[in-house]
Structure formats: C-alpha cells, structure tokens
Amino acid sequence: MTLVSIAVNNPLIDGRQSDRAMMIRRGVQILLADMRFAILPELTLSNGRRADLIALSDKGEIWIIEIKSSIEDFRVDRKWPDYRRYCDRLFFATHAGVPLEIFPEDCGLFLSDGFSGHMLREAPEHRLAPATRKSVTLDFSRAAAQRLLAAEWAAQLTSG
C-alpha cells in the first residue's frame, strides 16, 4: 500500500500554472466572487485557446481575464487578442512587480496580491452576438458541471 503519492489527485488542479500565476488568479477570483460572478479557470474556447479565467455575471455578461505574471510572460504571448471574440469585456491581471504600462489601454486591468484583487481599469464593452453568447455560456456550464462531478468522484475515492 502506497503511503505517499507524488501525483496530484485533485482533478481541479492541472499543474500548468506557476505559483505566481496562481497567486494572481486567487486574488482576482476573490474579487470577482465578491462581485457575484461565477468563475471558471482554464476554459478551452471553441478556437482551441484556453482562457486563464472566464467569469459570468448574474446578468449573463462574460468576462475573460488573461493572467500575466511577468513582462516576459506578456511579451511572448500574442494570442490574447483572440479572446475578444468570446467575451463582452477583456481584462489582464497581474501583480505589483509587473509594470502596468505594458498592458494595452483597450483592455481592463486587475492587480492582485493573492488575498484580494483590485480593478485598476474597467474594460470597454464589446457585446457578444447572441449565438456566441449562448455557445460560450453552454461551454462554461458544461465544463463547470464536469469539473464538479470529477471533484465529487475524487473526494469519494480519497474518503474511503
């Protein structure tokens, strides 16, 4: 019988994010939860891109938040404009060690310390077409339900 497992047994953790990115994500998630958003990390969109965070408001507005943990992280990633087709508002999120002036003015901006997040700049609205909104909302809902089921099954396996 194995006493120690080096594998991550939590189906909600995919392990691709750095500790700093996870810190940023946690603070933004706390802020968005306080704003009454439903939040889902790492949602694969229909174009194959993966949104770092996607948030759904109680009115059905969809926000995508792209997390950037360093200047280099921002410089090497040129896929972020592709996210605009899948959200009403597009944001970046970072921490105090990254210069804020590197982020485009036509996107919103969050600052996170891991314990809370602060919206420094609101994102301009570009409303989704109804068919796109329905598709993204269904993808969000299905992914959330599948992750909840996986977490429930994992909890049952570890509890005995």
Side-chain angles (χ1 to χ4, degrees):
M1 176 175 175
T2 303
L3 297 177
V4 178
S5 173
I6 60 170
V8 175
N9 293 324
N10 185 337
L12 302 179
I13 299 173
D14 70 10
R16 290 181 276 199
Q17 298 76 25
S18 68
D19 288 342
R20 183 156 291 166
M22 292 298 290
M23 179 271 301
I24 296 165
R25 183 169 104 179
R26 187 173 43 255
V28 173
Q29 285 174 310
I30 290 167
L31 174 64
L32 291 172
D34 287 346
M35 295 170 68
R36 301 186 60 218
F37 277 81
I39 310 136
L40 195 60
E42 304 298 330
L43 180 68
T44 301
L45 304 169
S46 64
N47 66 354
R49 301 276 191 221
R50 200 176 66 248
D52 292 335
L53 280 176
I54 188 163
L56 182 64
S57 79
D58 55 0
K59 295 179 182 175
E61 188 173 50
I62 298 168
W63 292 5
I64 289 181
I65 300 93
E66 179 67 3
I67 296 170
K68 294 297 168 206
S69 58
S70 67
I71 295 172
E72 188 63 20
D73 185 16
F74 178 75
R75 284 190 183 145
V76 300
D77 179 9
R78 292 294 166 218
K79 67 185 182 308
W80 63 265
D82 296 343
Y83 297 134
R84 285 195 194 276
R85 296 190 337 233
Y86 300 94
C87 62
D88 295 302
R89 298 179 191 265
L90 179 61
F91 293 83
F92 283 96
T94 194
H95 62 91
V98 177
L100 302 178
E101 60 271 9
I102 69 171
F103 297 103
E105 291 287 328
D106 64 341
C107 294
L109 185 59
F110 289 107
L111 188 65
S112 171
D113 64 8
F115 300 101
S116 65
H118 305 282
M119 185 187 299
L120 300 179
R121 183 172 59 232
E122 180 113 12
E125 183 181 49
H126 40 88
R127 301 289 296 167
L128 287 174
T132 304
R133 179 176 312 286
K134 179 179 179 181
S135 175
V136 173
T137 302
L138 284 172
D139 289 346
F140 183 103
S141 302
R142 290 180 54 77
Q146 290 167 344
R147 291 179 193 180
L148 181 61
L149 181 61
E152 182 180 321
W153 286 350
Q156 288 172 1
L157 290 174
T158 59
S159 65

